[in-house]
């Protein structure tokens, strides 16, 4: 069982930056691919980015490319999502998730955090 806790959300103006963190409860974190997802009000949860267990591979949704960076520190059992040049349309609850398989553009992940709110004002 992997428990995930997100932090770092908040309110920023357009053009600003935030760094989200996702802390895992167990050392087996380093065996899991880690993904970030978001869900805006009235919309389905969508894929944002994923990073392999080693950190060697990362994939992004088109909306995140060039603005967001996913990373991880296996020594700290923590994954990160650095978000720059934020736009009002990035407003959503952001979730991290873990799975043994690296999956792109899908929400079928085994373990999920509770989410953290990101609000971007214009």
């Amino acid at each position: 069982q992997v428990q995930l806790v997100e932090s770092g959300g908040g309110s920023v103006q357009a053009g600003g930056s935030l760094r989200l963190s996702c802390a895992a409860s167990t050392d087996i974190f380093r065996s899991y691919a880690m993904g970030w997802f978001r869900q805006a009000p009235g919309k389905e949860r969508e894929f944002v980015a994923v990073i392999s267990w080693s950190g060697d591979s990362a994939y992004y949704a088109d909306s995140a490319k060039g603005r967001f960076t996913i990373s991880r520190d296996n020594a700290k059992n923590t994954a990160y999502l650095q978000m720059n040049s934020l736009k009002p349309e990035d407003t959503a609850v952001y979730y991290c998730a873990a799975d043994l398989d690296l999956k792109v553009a899908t929400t079928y992940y085994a373990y999920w955090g509770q989410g953290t709110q990101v609000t971007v004002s214009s």
Side-chain angles (χ1 to χ4, degrees):
Q1 186 78 10
V2 179
Q3 293 182 325
L4 305 172
V5 179
E6 301 96 335
S7 61
S11 298
V12 296
Q13 290 191 327
S17 298
L18 283 173
R19 189 176 81 154
L20 306 182
S21 298
C22 174
S25 61
T26 172
D27 286 347
I28 65 174
F29 163 86
R30 61 197 67 183
S31 301
Y32 286 76
M34 296 298 299
W36 284 97
F37 301 80
R38 66 187 184 185
Q39 188 166 18
K43 295 188 177 181
E44 294 186 351
R45 191 171 299 186
E46 64 177 9
F47 167 81
V48 175
V50 62
I51 189 167
S52 63
W53 67 270
S54 64
D56 289 343
S57 300
Y59 301 90
Y60 298 88
D62 287 344
S63 59
K65 288 178 182 176
R67 300 189 300 127
F68 295 1
T69 303
I70 190 171
S71 62
R72 66 190 298 159
D73 185 339
N74 285 346
K76 296 182 178 179
N77 290 346
T78 302
Y80 305 96
L81 185 68
Q82 177 68 43
M83 304 186 296
N84 299 328
S85 302
L86 283 162
K87 305 174 182 180
E89 51 263 44
D90 294 318
T91 295
V93 177
Y94 283 71
Y95 299 88
C96 66
D99 200 281
L100 287 173
D101 294 327
L102 191 154
K103 302 175 183 176
V104 181
T106 176
T107 58
Y108 287 99
Y109 274 62
Y111 302 104
W112 290 85
Q114 83 290 347
T116 185
Q117 177 70 45
V118 171
T119 302
V120 184
S121 58
S122 58

